[in-house]
């Protein structure tokens, strides 16, 4: 029964992003090497999902370390709605392209949004992702009490009758994964969007749906209530934590590229063109975070999966964007409900 | 709000005065029909999932509103009702300060973005209390408004860190607190 | 999942030593609960740095007491000034506010405190005992069953509308239509948003609540000097403790009512996704249906106040059950608690009861103690809180408008939401002046999107076959209960009329 906190109110409210960054003590004399005074104020980060969700946790862990290299604080702002569209519209429409505001999104589902329907007030090429934080493959799972114990049982059953599949949203890499599996095996799946990871897990556990698909990082965190049966990646990197489930390509001899959700920071294209020096500071400091031992500790502390942390710069992000939009286009009618 | 029909000449037959003024009651059904039709126009070429529930609810709403209009029309025919809007808007709205208060409220929202939370809230409270009190007890209103606005500042901005629009007062206080702390 | 009595009593005693956390938190919870726009969930988020820095035990007790007390706090402005602090208290003013107008706000407050605290306490104890059974509820309540539960809540529109059915239904369906604004849940197509991005995620509830109840009310009350009638002012002229005791006594006399409605809340709370607003509407509706005096509802009837208040506190313990047992939070506050506790290394799921039973059961002992302490800390306040209603409307109306509009900004921090609060204020004002029931509109706005979500989910699962609505046996039982509860008032009314006719014929 001890009061382990004694800071003033201002101090602890000042650093809202304190979850993981509490340990940020040693400040590296890095950003000043670029001479310019950027950044001389807080950086605003638009997050197009709800506060308290997976993106929030991921962001706090990352920004807690990044801030010590960038020597500034991050102010997260949450704009959920319409599968992330609202956040992007707000970022592009209401924030100056001056490199003082960033967007922290989930590249996979959010790029698939644009495949289904173009953004309203800007073009997809008006912003670019420059900092990939992780790559988290989709997976197929059922509740612990489900009668299905292997993916083969599911495919066999789905050839007889259409199985319902819970998904976080229609336009999601994991949804594409299960549609692809159906196409290759002749199994019939009916996607049921359950809005968000929390409800998707709940749907499978309570039996609302026969099975669910979701990013495997979230599923691994719930492994006591669920059983993972298939991973949409080249390798099951989490092994035991995903019940040693096989990968789709190994098990079915297919050649599906990894169906990844991938959290990344994005920025206005106009800001990159106008302030190349600022953009360089962002890129360089961003990369530093991945080799910082505090970051690994922060990810572990937030119950994240270190195996999925995967640095990527502008090129990696662009390559990913291209491939996900290409495969998304193939499934456009199924994802948009229009034939 | 709705247009106020200028009240007709005072000389009116007794029967006319006792008629139910149904004009105001038609505002909600009218708006409901208009809104439903607008809503339908936004989902005409949407997937069925976007349509099914809204078309059902909208259709029932339009139907109910039309039934209400027919009911009112029958009352009109029987001379039991009139189309006056007195139940919604009448002279007491002006004398009670209601329209004035509405104008001040609208001003409050328009100005808060520009002059910040604390100052705008202070002036809103002060002027509306003054209006409702017909200019009396101005000193008390000023003091109460100040306490409320500063209390709101302390609670919402200092204690809960809410991101209200900042004005001169908030910017000054921030600088003062930062220097002091 | 077994815990013997000795263990529980020991834990109870241990939790009691944290009174120094619980009592200040109760007051914080009352304040944040009473301000529309604030809730336990966003307070925990705001205080996250503090909560995370706390010792896990202190943090847990803090969050649980904040959760319980904010729920109770939301009822206070609902009773005193007709402004529910959260959507969960939206059914509270139906009978609470008429009592205030009659000068019985002190009774109403103490009644609601007793109902809340005992409803909460009782369901907490039930939760400890029946945890394994209750955890199963979620396995049976799927989209089809939830559609029927939603319809139970929505059928309240029809009872509210009893005086003029047509206008009541127009108000309710207008609410449902307004509630349909936003992107559809399957393909995220924007609908009826008038081009406002801020409406893509649906109509935010706080501005709707604030506008329909508070702002419109403020514009109405300025006609009179006080919201309390002249007779009511006379009653309140001599303040005494008697009114507090009277209210508490009325509540205790309705102990069965509290029990029944808090259990409704508990069960609805256990279902993931359902919440306090549904529970209080369903409770109010059920209470009215089976009441001997249904005609008194809406006029300041104690049962009409006790039902929603005991139900929404029953929800509080309910939502934590799926969190503890399945690691699936039942609501927003539970979701945030999950994050905080995970940060502290707590692993949820059935194993929690073996690994850290003091934590798993500690949640409920903390809740029980909060409710117990609340009775002693809050009940005396009712005498002073009720004086608020005697403040002249000259000062009250501007303050209501300013602070509730500010509240509509707080929950999402969009300027747009303040405008929306005013727009809803205008809608509410027109509705009040022309005798459309604002509560009916609000029920539509709150429950409409939930009903649509479950409805679409069911239809998507059946690939468009409407018969899916009657495809589950539990669902069919619920349908029958729903139909029975709709027919019951008619049957009872008919029998009462016939009885009256018989007596008259006999004399």
């Amino acid at each position: 029964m001890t009061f382990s906190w004694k800071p003033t109110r201002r101090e602890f409210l000042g650093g809202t992003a304190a979850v993981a960054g509490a340990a940020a003590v040693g400040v590296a004399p890095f950003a000043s090497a670029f001479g310019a005074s950027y950044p001389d104020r807080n950086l605003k980060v638009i997050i197009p999902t709800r506060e308290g969700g997976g993106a929030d946790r991921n962001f706090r862990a990352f920004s807690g370390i990044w801030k010590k290299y960038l020597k500034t604080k991050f102010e997260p702002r949450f704009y959920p709605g319409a599968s992330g569209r609202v956040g992007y519209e707000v970022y592009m429409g209401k924030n100056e392209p001056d490199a003082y505001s960033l967007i922290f999104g989930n590249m996979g589902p959010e790029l698939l949004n644009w495949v289904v329907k173009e953004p309203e007030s800007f073009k997809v090429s008006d912003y670019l992702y420059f900092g990939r934080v992780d790559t988290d493959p989709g997976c197929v799972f059922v509740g612990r009490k489900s009668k299905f114990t292997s993916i083969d049982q599911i495919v066999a059953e789905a050839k007889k009758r259409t199985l319902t599949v819970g998904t976080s949203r229609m336009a999601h890499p994991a949804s594409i994964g299960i549609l692809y599996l159906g196409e290759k095996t002749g199994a019939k799946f009916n996607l049921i969007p359950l809005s968000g990871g929390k409800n998707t897990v709940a749907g499978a556990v309570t039996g609302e749906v026969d099975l669910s698909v979701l990013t495997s990082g979230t599923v691994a965190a719930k492994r006591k209530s669920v059983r993972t049966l298939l991973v949409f990646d080249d390798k099951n990197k989490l092994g035991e934590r995903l019940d040693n489930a096989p990968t789709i390509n190994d098990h079915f001899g297919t050649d599906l590229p990894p169906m990844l959700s991938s959290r990344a920071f994005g920025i206005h294209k106009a800001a990159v063109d106008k302030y190349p020096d600022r953009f360089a500071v962002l890129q360089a400091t961003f990369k530093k975070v991945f080799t910082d031992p505090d970051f690994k500790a922060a990810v572990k502390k937030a119950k994240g999966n270190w195996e999925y942390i995967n640095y990527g710069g502008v090129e990696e992000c662009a390559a990913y964007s291209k491939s996900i939009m290409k495969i998304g286009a193939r499934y456009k009618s199924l994802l948009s409900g229009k034939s | 709000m709705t247009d106020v029909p200028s009240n007709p000449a005072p000389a009116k037959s007794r029967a006319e005065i006792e008629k139910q003024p149904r004009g105001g009651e038609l505002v909600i059904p009218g708006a409901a029909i208009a809104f439903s039709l607008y809503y339908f126009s936004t989902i005409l070429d949407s997937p069925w999932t976007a349509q099914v529930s809204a078309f059902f609810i909208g259709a029932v709403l339009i139907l109910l509103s039309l039934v209400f209009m027919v009911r009112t029309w029958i009352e009109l025919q029987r001379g039991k009702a009139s189309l006056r809007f007195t139940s919604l808007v009448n002279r007491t709205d002006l004398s009670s300060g209601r329209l004035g208060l509405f104008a001040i409220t609208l001003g409050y929202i328009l100005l808060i973005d520009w002059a910040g939370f604390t100052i705008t809230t202070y002036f809103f409270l002060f002027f509306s209390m003054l209006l409702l009190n017909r200019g009396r007890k101005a000193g008390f209103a000023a003091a109460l408004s100040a306490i409320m606005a500063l209390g709101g500042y302390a609670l919402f901005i200092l204690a809960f860190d809410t991101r209200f629009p900042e004005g001169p007062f908030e910017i000054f206080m921030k600088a003062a607190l930062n220097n002091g702390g | 999942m077994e815990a013997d009595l000795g263990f529980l009593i020991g834990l109870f005693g241990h939790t009691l030593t944290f009174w120094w956390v619980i009592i200040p938190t109760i007051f914080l919870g009352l304040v944040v609960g009473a301000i529309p726009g604030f809730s336990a969930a966003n307070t925990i988020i705001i205080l996250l740095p503090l909560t995370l820095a706390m010792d896990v035990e202190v943090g847990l007790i803090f969050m649980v007491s904040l959760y319980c007390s904010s729920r109770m706090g939301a009822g206070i402005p609902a009773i005193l000034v007709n402004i529910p602090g959260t959507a969960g208290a939206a059914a509270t003013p139906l009978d609470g506010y008429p009592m205030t107008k009659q000068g019985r706000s002190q009774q109403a407050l103490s009644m609601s405190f007793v109902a809340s605290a005992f409803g909460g306490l009782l369901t907490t104890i039930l939760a400890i005992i029946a945890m394994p059974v209750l955890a199963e509820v979620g396995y049976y309540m799927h989209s089809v069953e939830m559609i029927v539960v939603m319809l139970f809540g929505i059928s309240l529109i029809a009872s509210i509308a009893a005086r003029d059915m047509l206008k009541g239904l127009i108000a309710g369906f207008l609410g449902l239509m307004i509630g349909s604004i936003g992107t559809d849940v399957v393909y995220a197509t924007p609908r009826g948003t008038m081009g406002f991005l801020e409406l893509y995620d649906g109509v935010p509830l706080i501005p709707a609540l604030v506008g329909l109840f508070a702002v419109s009310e403020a514009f109405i009350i300025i006609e009179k000097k006080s919201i309390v009638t002249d007779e009511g002012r006379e009653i309140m002229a001599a303040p005494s403790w008697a009114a507090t005791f009277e209210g508490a006594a009325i509540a205790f006399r309705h102990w069965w009512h509290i029990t029944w409605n808090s259990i409704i809340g508990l069960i609805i709370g256990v279902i993931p996704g359902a919440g306090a607003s549904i529970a209080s509407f369903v409770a109010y509706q059920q209470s009215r249906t089976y009441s001997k005096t249904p005609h008194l509802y809406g006029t300041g009837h104690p049962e009409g106040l006790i039902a929603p208040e005991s139900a929404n506190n029953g929800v509080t313990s309910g939502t934590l059950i799926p969190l503890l047992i399945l690691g699936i939070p039942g609501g927003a506050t539970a979701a945030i608690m999950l994050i905080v506790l995970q940060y502290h290394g707590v692993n949820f799921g059935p194993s929690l009861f073996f690994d850290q039973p003091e934590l798993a059961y500690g949640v409920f002992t903390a809740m029980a103690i909060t409710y117990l302490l609340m009775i002693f800390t809050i009940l005396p306040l009712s005498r002073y809180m009720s004086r608020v209603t005697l403040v002249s409307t000259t000062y009250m109306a501007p303050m209501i408008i300013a602070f509730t509009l500010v509240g509509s900004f707080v929950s999402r921090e969009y300027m747009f939401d303040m405008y929306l609060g005013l727009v809803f204020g205008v809608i509410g004002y027109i509705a009040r002046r022309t005798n459309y029931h604002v509560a009916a509109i609000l029920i539509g706005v709150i429950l409409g999107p939930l009903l649509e979500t479950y409805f679409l989910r069911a239809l998507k699962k059946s690939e468009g076959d409407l018969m899916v609505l009657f495809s589950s046996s539990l669902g069919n039982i619920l349908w029958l209960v729903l139909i029975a509860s709709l027919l019951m008032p008619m049957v009872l009314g008919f029998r009462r009329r016939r009885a009256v006719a018989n007596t008259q014929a006999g004399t």
Side-chain angles (χ1 to χ4, degrees):
Chain A
M1 189 171 57
T2 47
F3 263 102
S4 53
W5 40 276
K6 256 281 181 210
T8 67
R9 206 205 57 76
R10 286 236 132 237
E11 277 167 321
F12 58 72
L13 281 184
T16 327
V19 177
V25 204
V27 176
F30 186 85
S32 58
F34 283 82
S37 59
Y38 174 83
D40 58 5
R41 54 189 157 96
N42 291 355
L43 251 62
K44 191 158 94 179
V45 179
I46 307 294
I47 299 178
T49 47
R50 226 164 277 285
E51 193 156 10
D56 186 2
R57 226 180 302 175
N58 203 312
F59 167 77
R60 285 175 198 268
F62 194 88
S63 63
I65 310 299
W66 194 5
K67 73 176 181 190
K68 74 181 181 187
Y69 294 106
L70 208 49
K71 285 187 178 168
T72 192
K73 279 182 198 153
F74 290 92
E75 287 177 25
R77 301 279 173 91
F78 299 86
Y79 295 95
S83 306
R85 282 175 188 275
V86 172
Y88 281 83
E89 297 282 351
V90 168
Y91 179 67
M92 297 305 292
K94 297 190 178 164
N95 287 277
E96 284 297 308
D98 56 4
Y100 278 99
S101 64
L102 304 174
I103 186 152
F104 183 64
N106 190 341
M107 287 197 285
E110 284 146 24
L111 285 164
L112 287 174
N113 274 344
W114 310 142
V115 175
V116 172
K117 189 164 171 278
E118 289 273 314
E120 282 178 25
S121 63
F122 62 96
K123 286 205 290 290
V124 181
S125 57
D126 287 348
Y127 75 95
L128 62 95
Y129 295 106
F130 68 92
R132 179 180 71 194
V133 174
D134 68 350
T135 44
D136 187 341
C139 70
V140 177
F141 65 98
V142 292
R144 277 274 163 210
K145 290 188 176 177
S146 165
K147 62 175 179 173
F148 300 118
T149 53
S150 75
I151 191 70
D152 293 323
Q153 287 173 0
I154 286 187
V155 169
E157 180 85 8
K159 283 178 179 169
K160 285 182 251 162
R161 67 174 175 106
T162 307
L163 292 186
T164 51
V165 183
T167 180
S168 159
R169 22 177 145 155
M170 295 299 276
H172 192 285
S175 307
I176 292 187
I178 196 79
L179 290 175
Y180 178 87
L181 179 66
E183 206 177 84
K184 291 290 166 188
T185 58
K188 293 186 293 280
F189 296 111
N190 176 10
L191 283 170
I192 313 294
L194 297 174
S195 333
K198 190 182 89 183
N199 295 333
T200 309
V201 173
V205 171
T206 61
E208 167 87 52
V209 286
D210 294 310
L211 60 145
S212 277
V213 290
L214 195 63
T215 49
S216 55
T218 317
V219 177
K222 304 274 187 242
R223 64 182 176 282
K224 286 183 179 148
S225 327
V226 301
R227 188 185 301 124
T228 308
L229 301 179
L230 191 70
V231 181
F232 299 123
D233 199 358
D234 296 328
K235 184 170 172 266
N236 179 347
K237 296 192 185 84
L238 300 188
E240 184 83 342
R241 272 173 283 159
L242 290 177
D243 301 299
N244 293 317
T247 67
I248 181 168
N249 294 344
D250 279 351
H251 199 75
F252 293 99
T254 52
D255 60 347
L256 181 71
M259 281 296 110
L260 306 170
S261 281
S262 188
R263 300 233 159 77
F265 286 90
I267 187 169
H268 301 99
K269 180 78 169 51
V272 174
D273 296 341
K274 206 168 161 192
Y275 302 103
D277 50 331
R278 294 180 182 180
F279 186 53
V281 173
L282 285 174
Q283 285 179 294
T285 51
F286 175 83
K287 195 170 180 179
K288 281 256 153 190
V289 177
F290 291 85
T291 49
D292 190 316
D294 286 346
F295 180 46
K296 188 167 183 176
V299 170
K300 296 252 170 197
K301 180 126 209 208
K303 298 269 175 250
N305 299 295
W306 182 250
E307 292 85 345
Y308 288 161
I309 298 297
N310 185 2
Y311 165 78
V314 174
E315 281 169 25
E316 288 88 345
C317 292
Y320 172 80
S321 303
K322 211 173 148 191
S323 82
I324 195 81
M325 291 185 80
K326 193 174 152 205
I327 192 153
R330 268 181 56 199
Y331 293 95
K332 185 176 172 181
S333 65
L334 283 166
L335 300 177
S336 66
K338 290 180 192 170
S339 39
Chain B
M1 286 234 209
T2 346
D3 284 324
V4 193
S6 54
N7 272 342
K12 265 187 292 186
S13 73
R14 231 188 127 68
E16 215 173 326
I17 293 167
E18 281 172 0
K19 282 181 184 175
Q20 290 291 320
R22 292 281 187 221
E25 293 181 32
L26 290 172
V27 173
I28 293 236
I33 293 177
F35 178 67
S36 305
L37 293 177
Y38 159 72
Y39 193 106
F40 289 170
S41 76
T42 64
I43 52 171
L44 281 180
D45 52 349
S46 296
W48 65 271
T49 50
Q51 295 173 331
V52 54
S53 171
F55 275 139
F56 172 73
I57 293 169
V60 175
L61 181 58
I62 291 176
L63 184 74
L64 290 169
S65 303
L66 289 176
V67 170
F68 183 81
M69 287 175 173
V70 170
R71 191 173 89 176
T72 310
W73 184 75
I74 293 171
E75 281 181 344
L76 278 178
Q77 293 303 303
R78 291 187 184 161
K80 282 185 185 168
S82 78
L83 279 181
R84 288 179 306 140
F85 282 83
T86 44
S87 64
L88 185 58
V89 183
N90 54 39
R91 275 186 213 150
T92 56
D93 292 327
L94 206 58
S95 59
S96 66
R98 190 170 278 147
L99 291 174
L101 183 60
F102 183 78
I104 298 178
T105 307
L106 198 60
Y108 175 48
I109 302 181
L110 288 171
L111 291 180
I112 196 169
D113 217 5
W114 178 73
F117 168 80
T118 321
I119 293 178
T120 330
T121 303
Y122 171 77
F123 282 110
F124 167 76
L125 289 174
F126 176 67
F127 283 119
S128 45
M129 286 175 187
L130 212 58
L131 171 83
L132 295 177
N133 246 344
R134 293 176 180 74
R136 280 169 291 152
K137 296 187 189 168
F140 180 71
L144 183 63
S145 307
I147 293 169
M148 285 294 153
L150 289 174
Y153 168 77
L155 182 71
F156 293 116
I157 296 177
L158 282 186
F160 284 135
D161 232 17
T162 309
R163 291 186 205 101
F164 268 105
E166 290 187 342
F169 179 81
E170 286 80 9
I171 292 167
F172 171 77
M173 288 303 285
K174 200 188 238 175
L177 287 170
N178 280 346
N179 289 337
Chain C
M1 230 175 279
E2 64 259 48
D4 57 68
L5 200 60
F7 168 77
L8 284 176
I9 292 172
L11 192 60
F12 200 81
H14 176 68
T15 316
L16 205 51
T17 61
F18 288 93
W19 61 268
W20 55 275
V21 183
I22 299 174
I23 292 179
T25 310
I26 287 176
F27 288 105
L28 177 65
L30 286 178
V31 173
V32 298
I35 305 172
F38 279 98
S39 64
N42 56 24
T43 309
I44 295 175
I45 292 177
I46 291 163
L47 299 179
L48 211 51
L50 171 71
T51 326
L52 292 174
M54 286 176 191
D55 177 54
V56 59
E57 208 170 16
V58 178
L60 183 73
I61 291 173
F62 167 75
M63 290 190 291
V64 168
S65 353
L66 189 73
Y67 189 24
C68 301
S69 54
S70 67
R71 184 76 87 210
M72 195 189 260
I76 298 171
I79 292 170
L80 295 182
V81 279
N82 201 10
I83 304 163
T86 61
T92 306
L94 292 176
D95 278 279
Y97 188 57
M99 292 182 79
T100 291
K101 283 187 178 165
Q102 296 153 12
R104 293 195 293 146
S105 50
Q106 198 177 334
Q107 285 93 328
L109 283 177
S110 78
M111 214 181 285
S112 119
F113 293 157
V114 171
S116 300
F118 280 88
L121 189 61
L122 180 84
T123 45
T124 307
I125 295 168
L126 274 178
I128 296 176
I129 300 168
M131 192 116 61
V133 183
L134 285 170
E136 300 286 313
V137 170
Y139 289 100
Y140 299 100
M141 301 297 290
H142 296 153
S143 40
V144 172
E145 291 79 8
M146 285 309 292
I147 291 171
V148 194
V149 173
M150 293 295 149
L151 289 175
F152 268 105
I154 288 175
S155 68
L156 178 56
I157 292 174
S159 348
I160 288 179
R163 237 168 288 163
D164 187 340
M165 185 64 90
L166 188 55
K167 285 169 91 172
L169 291 177
I170 290 174
F173 273 85
L174 177 62
L176 288 169
M177 200 70 207
I178 294 173
S180 310
I181 293 176
T183 54
D184 87 288
V185 290
V186 177
Y187 297 115
T189 6
R191 305 172 302 167
T193 57
M194 290 164 270
F196 293 113
L197 271 177
E198 291 89 342
L199 290 175
Y200 273 37
D201 206 18
V203 173
L205 289 186
I206 301 294
L209 197 74
V210 154
L212 289 174
F213 277 88
V215 177
S216 64
E217 179 75 10
F219 279 94
I220 295 281
I221 59 174
I222 55 172
E223 251 173 35
K224 295 194 197 115
K225 188 101 189 73
S226 158
I227 54 175
V228 184
T229 58
D230 292 343
E231 303 85 62
R233 291 177 75 84
E234 270 170 42
I235 295 171
M236 290 181 76
S240 72
W241 291 109
T244 296
F245 292 123
E246 190 196 327
I250 296 175
F252 281 119
R253 273 205 302 278
H254 287 84
W255 64 273
W256 176 242
H257 213 71
I258 297 178
T259 309
W260 170 236
N261 285 297
S262 61
I263 292 173
I264 290 182
L266 177 67
I267 293 171
I268 291 180
V270 172
I271 305 163
S277 53
I278 302 166
S280 47
F281 290 137
V282 171
Y284 187 90
Q285 168 65 358
Q286 287 311 293
S287 157
R288 189 181 183 280
T289 304
Y290 297 105
S291 168
K292 290 192 188 89
T293 48
H295 57 284
L296 291 179
Y297 279 68
T299 63
H301 194 35
E303 290 175 10
L305 174 61
I306 290 171
E309 281 296 291
S310 28
N312 65 30
N313 282 280
V315 169
T316 315
S317 31
T319 46
L320 295 181
I321 292 173
L323 173 71
L324 292 171
I325 295 187
L326 305 172
I328 295 166
T333 314
I336 288 152
M337 286 189 188
L338 174 88
I339 294 172
V340 174
L341 293 175
Q342 272 183 347
Y343 173 80
H344 282 296
V346 177
N347 277 316
F348 286 94
S351 61
L352 182 66
F353 288 84
F354 302 109
D355 299 345
Q356 292 168 292
E358 70 288 348
L359 216 62
Y361 287 101
V363 168
F364 291 99
T365 50
M367 207 171 241
I369 287 173
T370 304
Y371 278 119
L372 272 181
L373 290 177
M374 252 196 296
I375 274 288
F376 298 109
T377 45
I378 302 182
L379 207 50
L381 291 180
S382 65
R383 177 171 168 178
Y384 306 102
M385 285 182 195
S386 62
R387 311 313 286 174
V388 168
T389 56
L390 292 177
V391 173
S392 159
T393 56
T394 314
Y395 304 110
M396 182 115 91
M399 287 194 277
I400 289 177
I401 295 173
F403 287 105
T404 56
L405 283 180
V406 160
S408 40
F409 172 85
V410 168
S411 55
R412 303 199 302 176
E413 305 195 325
Y414 286 177
M415 269 314 287
F416 176 84
D417 288 357
M418 284 183 86
Y419 287 97
L420 196 62
L422 188 61
V423 169
F424 272 106
V426 172
I427 296 175
Y429 177 76
I430 297 175
R432 281 170 196 271
R433 284 295 295 265
T434 55
N435 295 317
Y436 289 87
H437 215 300
V438 286
I441 303 181
L442 187 69
I443 293 169
V445 176
I446 295 177
L447 298 186
L450 296 171
L451 178 69
E452 187 186 18
T453 303
Y454 289 114
F455 182 63
L456 283 183
R457 197 173 284 171
L459 271 191
K460 183 83 176 53
K461 273 168 72 176
S462 71
E463 293 172 83
D465 182 4
L466 273 173
M467 288 314 286
V468 69
L469 298 179
F470 310 103
S471 61
S472 102
S473 30
L474 178 62
N476 289 343
I477 295 171
L478 288 171
W479 278 114
L480 289 177
V481 179
L482 175 67
I483 293 166
S485 79
L486 289 176
L487 293 178
M488 187 76 98
M490 288 185 221
V491 175
L492 289 178
F494 175 71
R495 277 177 49 184
R496 210 172 293 130
R497 273 195 302 277
R498 210 174 52 183
V500 172
N502 283 345
T503 359
Q504 280 169 349
T507 51

